[in-house]
Amino acid sequence: MFEQLGLIGCGLMGGSFALALKQAGLVKRVVGYSKSPSTTERARELGVIDVEAPSALLAAAGADIVLLAVPVAATEVTLKAIRHLVTPQTLVMDVGSTKQDVVQAARSALGNSVGSFVPAHPITGREVAGVEHAQADLYRGCQVILTPTERTLTAQLRRAEQLWSALGCQVSTMAPEHHDTAFAAVSHLPHLLAFALLNSIIGQERSNTLLQLAGPGFRDFTRIAAGDPKIWRDILRANRTEVLAQSRLFEQALQQLQAAMQEDDTQHLEDLLTLASSTRAHWRMGQSHSHED
Amino acid sequence: MFEQLGLIGCGLMGGSFALALKQAGLVKRVVGYSKSPSTTERARELGVIDVEAPSALLAAAGADIVLLAVPVAATEVTLKAIRHLVTPQTLVMDVGSTKQDVVQAARSALGNSVGSFVPAHPITGREVAGVEHAQADLYRGCQVILTPTERTLTAQLRRAEQLWSALGCQVSTMAPEHHDTAFAAVSHLPHLLAFALLNSIIGQERSNTLLQLAGPGFRDFTRIAAGDPKIWRDILRANRTEVLAQSRLFEQALQQLQAAMQEDDTQHLEDLLTLASSTRAHWRMGQSHSHED
C-alpha cells in the first residue's frame, strides 16, 4: 500500500496506472503532472488524479511511489528534475518500451539514488492516446518486464514485483540488453514493417483502390501502424541498433521466400511457409513455446 | 433460387457457402464432393451437404449452380472434369484469391462454355481450415470481387451478383489483372511478410524467449502467418509476378525508414511514420479513402 503516487505524464499509460492503483486500493492519493496543463486538468476532472501539480518536481514531492509515463526520450531530463526527492524509500518506475537507454538515463540523472529506480515495461497499449482513453484494466493480465541493474535496491525490486502482480500482471525480470533485443524482434520490427507496408501502398498510383479492397488480414496486420508517430519515432531511435539488426535478419528471411518464389521451388516454398505457420499456430501469448512440435 | 448446388471442395470456404445458401433459403439441395472421402462424409454428417458424390463430375450433375472451393492450382483440372455438364444455364463460380490464373484455367478448361463461369473472390477466411469450422455467416458483410471477362454471360454475372448480395456481401467487379495487383499489395504481400517475420525469429538462438515475450501487437500482426501453407504456397505461386513486384516496392519503403534511422534524421523518420499512421488511423475496412486528409 502506498501513500502517494506522483504521476509524471497523465496520458493513456500513466492515467491507466493511476486508475488501476486506485481501483486495487493500493494508493491513497495521486498527484499528477503533465507537460500540457490542459491534460493535467482533464486528468483531475476525470478522477484519474486527485491533485494537479505544476511541475514534475512538485508531483514527486511527498510521493513514496513515482511513475514516469513520458516518452522514453524525456526520461533523463524528467529524472533530473526530481532527483533531489528520490530517497532509498522511494520507488521510481517508468513504463518505456526500451530499457538500455532508460537505464543509461537513470544512471546519469540519479547518480547514487539510481537504486530506487526499477525500469519497467508493461506489454500493453492501445492505438489511441490520451487520458480520455485511460482505463483501470489496461494492465490486467499483461506481462511486465522489469530490468533491474546491479545497483537496483532489492527492496524496491520486490515492491515493484508485488505491485504489478497485485494489478494482475505476470512479472518477470531480464537484463536490459536482452529486453531490447527481444522487443526489437517481436514489437519494434513488426511496427517498422507495418509502417513500411502502409507507405509502400500510399506511394502507388491506385493507393485508394488498394486500401478500399483490403480485408481483415490487412486490418490486423496493420493495426500497429496506427501507433503514435512521435512515440514510435522515439522507440525506434532509442533501440536503433537492435531494430536495424533485426531488420536485416528479417530481410534475409524475406529473400529466402522471394528466391523460392522466383525459382518456383514449390517444395522449398511450402517448407518455409510450414515452418512459420506451424510455429504461429501453436503460439499463445505469454506462454513458453517450442517450435519443434 | 437454385434447385441444386454442386459443391466441389467441402472445406471451410465451400462448406460455409453451402450453409449460407441453405440458411438464406436459396437452394433446395446440396450435392458435395471432396478429394478426401472422409471430408465428404463429415460434411454430410454435419448437414453441410445433403448428398455425397464420389466425383466432381457427379457433384456437378444436375446442378444449376456449381461452386469450386478447391486450391487455385486445382482449378483447371477440376473444371475439365465437369466441362461437359456446363451449359449456358449453369452458374459456375470459384472462391480463389487470385484471378488471372483462374481466368486462364477456365478459358483452357471450359472452351466455349467459359461464359458460364464467373470468377469470384470473397474477401473473408479464417486461420482454421476444414468443414468442422464452416459457418453460415462466414460471408456476411464481406466484400466479394467478381472478375468477369469479355466472354462472361451477362445473365450469369447478374445471378452471381444477386446471390452474393443476398448473402449479405458487398459485390463489385474488377478486371482480373487489377484484382491481382491489388491483392498482391493488401493481402498476399502482408502474408509473405508475416511468414518471413516468423521465420526470422525462429532462426534466432533465443527464439523461444522471444516468442514468449511477444504481446498483442505481434499477435495481430502475425495472425495471418498461421494460414494454411499449401493454400498460401499456391496463392503465392499463382500471383508470383505481382507479389514479387509489390515486395520490391515494400523493400524500398522499408529502406527509406532504415535510412532515416541510420542517419538519425529525426524529422524525416517522424514524417514517414506520420504518413503511415494517419492513413491507417483513417482507414476503415471496405470504405473509400483518401490519405490527403
Side-chain angles (χ1 to χ4, degrees):
Chain A
M1 176 69 173
F2 294 92
E3 286 294 319
Q4 185 170 315
L5 166 65
L7 180 66
I8 304 176
C10 303
L12 174 73
M13 300 295 282
S16 297
F17 184 81
L19 289 175
L21 249 64
K22 284 183 174 204
Q23 196 181 66
L26 290 171
V27 71
K28 291 191 185 156
R29 201 166 42 253
V30 178
V31 180
Y33 163 75
S34 270
K35 208 173 154 190
S36 140
S38 64
T39 299
T40 320
E41 190 182 341
R42 189 92 188 93
R44 189 186 44 77
E45 286 166 0
L46 290 166
V48 169
I49 65 172
D50 305 304
V51 181
E52 296 174 49
S55 68
L57 184 71
L58 286 170
D64 48 352
I65 173 170
V66 173
L67 188 83
L68 264 69
V70 299
V72 278
T75 305
E76 185 166 342
V77 65
T78 309
L79 287 176
K80 268 190 182 146
I82 65 164
R83 64 182 298 175
H84 297 300
L85 296 174
V86 177
T87 72
Q89 282 71 50
T90 325
L91 170 60
V92 184
M93 295 191 294
D94 76 321
V95 292
S97 303
T98 50
K99 289 273 116 10
Q100 287 176 102
D101 63 320
V102 162
V103 164
Q104 186 50 48
R107 275 205 191 98
S108 102
L110 296 179
N112 284 332
S113 303
V114 74
S116 297
F117 181 70
V118 180
H121 176 201
I123 309 170
T124 186
R126 295 179 63 191
E127 267 56 53
V128 289
V131 68
E132 290 77 11
H133 299 104
Q135 50 188 59
D137 64 353
L138 183 69
Y139 297 102
R140 179 153 299 280
C142 84
Q143 287 193 80
V144 175
I145 316 293
L146 305 178
T147 62
T149 66
E150 67 292 346
R151 297 190 61 188
T152 308
L153 297 172
T154 312
Q156 297 304 355
L157 179 59
R158 291 283 161 276
R159 289 174 84 199
E161 286 171 343
Q162 285 164 5
L163 183 153
W164 289 108
S165 299
L167 296 185
C169 309
Q170 301 165 37
V171 187
S172 56
T173 59
M174 188 178 290
E177 57 276 19
H178 284 165
H179 171 281
D180 286 0
T181 304
F183 284 90
V186 300
S187 170
H188 310 162
L189 177 63
H191 277 79
L192 190 70
L193 301 178
F195 289 126
L197 179 71
L198 258 298
N199 286 351
S200 160
I201 291 175
I202 294 165
Q204 297 181 47
E205 215 176 292
R206 298 172 67 247
S207 63
N208 285 350
T209 310
L210 302 186
L211 288 171
Q212 203 173 335
L213 291 169
F218 177 88
R219 177 195 59 204
D220 292 355
F221 184 88
T222 60
R223 181 180 63 79
I224 51 179
D228 186 297
K230 283 189 201 300
I231 289 178
W232 280 97
R233 176 201 64 191
D234 285 352
I235 293 173
L236 294 174
R237 291 184 68 209
N239 204 18
R240 185 167 67 156
T241 312
E242 302 289 351
V243 175
L244 288 171
Q246 288 293 330
S247 191
R248 276 188 292 273
L249 292 176
F250 166 82
E251 285 179 287
Q252 287 167 17
L254 179 60
Q255 279 152 15
Q256 272 200 304
L257 285 160
Q258 289 170 336
M261 288 172 69
Q262 219 131 23
E263 294 154 16
D264 206 15
D265 186 341
T266 314
Q267 190 56 54
H268 187 45
L269 181 58
E270 185 182 332
D271 291 346
L272 291 171
L273 300 182
T274 302
L275 179 63
S277 171
S278 69
T279 304
R280 181 54 181 81
H282 290 101
W283 177 82
R284 293 291 174 276
M285 203 162 78
Q287 288 177 16
S288 298
H289 302 90
S290 151
H291 59 267
E292 282 79 37
D293 55 356
Chain B
M1 175 71 170
F2 295 92
E3 285 294 321
Q4 185 171 316
L5 165 65
L7 181 65
I8 304 176
C10 304
L12 174 73
M13 299 296 281
S16 297
F17 185 80
L19 289 175
L21 249 64
K22 285 181 173 210
Q23 196 182 66
L26 290 172
V27 71
K28 289 191 185 154
R29 202 166 42 252
V30 179
V31 181
Y33 164 74
S34 269
K35 208 174 152 190
S36 144
S38 64
T39 300
T40 320
E41 191 184 339
R42 189 91 187 93
R44 189 186 43 76
E45 287 167 0
L46 289 168
V48 169
I49 63 172
D50 304 306
V51 181
E52 296 173 50
S55 68
L57 184 71
L58 286 169
D64 49 351
I65 173 170
V66 174
L67 189 83
L68 264 68
V70 299
V72 279
T75 305
E76 185 165 344
V77 65
T78 309
L79 287 175
K80 268 190 181 144
I82 65 165
R83 63 183 297 175
H84 297 299
L85 296 173
V86 177
T87 71
Q89 282 70 49
T90 327
L91 171 60
V92 184
M93 295 192 293
D94 76 319
V95 291
S97 303
T98 51
K99 289 274 116 2
Q100 288 176 104
D101 63 322
V102 163
V103 164
Q104 185 51 47
R107 276 206 190 97
S108 104
L110 296 179
N112 284 333
S113 303
V114 73
S116 297
F117 182 71
V118 181
H121 177 200
I123 310 170
T124 184
R126 296 178 59 192
E127 266 57 52
V128 288
V131 68
E132 291 79 9
H133 299 105
Q135 50 188 59
D137 64 352
L138 183 69
Y139 298 102
R140 178 154 300 279
C142 84
Q143 286 193 79
V144 175
I145 317 293
L146 306 178
T147 62
T149 67
E150 65 294 348
R151 298 191 60 187
T152 308
L153 297 172
T154 311
Q156 297 305 355
L157 179 59
R158 292 281 163 277
R159 288 174 84 202
E161 286 171 343
Q162 283 164 6
L163 183 152
W164 289 108
S165 297
L167 297 185
C169 309
Q170 303 166 36
V171 187
S172 55
T173 60
M174 190 178 290
E177 57 276 19
H178 283 166
H179 170 281
D180 286 0
T181 305
F183 284 90
V186 301
S187 170
H188 309 163
L189 176 63
H191 277 80
L192 191 71
L193 301 178
F195 289 126
L197 180 71
L198 258 298
N199 286 351
S200 159
I201 291 175
I202 294 165
Q204 297 182 48
E205 216 177 293
R206 298 172 68 247
S207 62
N208 286 350
T209 310
L210 301 186
L211 289 171
Q212 202 173 336
L213 290 169
F218 177 88
R219 179 194 60 206
D220 293 353
F221 183 88
T222 60
R223 180 178 66 77
I224 52 180
D228 186 296
K230 284 188 202 299
I231 290 178
W232 280 97
R233 176 201 63 191
D234 286 352
I235 293 172
L236 294 174
R237 290 184 68 208
N239 204 18
R240 187 167 64 158
T241 312
E242 302 289 352
V243 175
L244 287 172
Q246 287 294 331
S247 193
R248 277 187 291 272
L249 293 176
F250 166 82
E251 284 178 288
Q252 287 166 18
L254 179 59
Q255 279 152 16
Q256 271 201 305
L257 284 160
Q258 289 171 335
M261 288 171 71
Q262 220 131 26
E263 294 154 16
D264 206 16
D265 186 341
T266 314
Q267 190 56 53
H268 187 44
L269 181 59
E270 184 181 332
D271 290 346
L272 291 171
L273 300 181
T274 302
L275 180 63
S277 171
S278 69
T279 303
R280 180 56 182 82
H282 290 102
W283 177 82
R284 293 292 173 276
M285 203 160 79
Q287 288 179 14
S288 300
H289 302 90
S290 152
H291 58 267
E292 282 79 38
D293 55 355

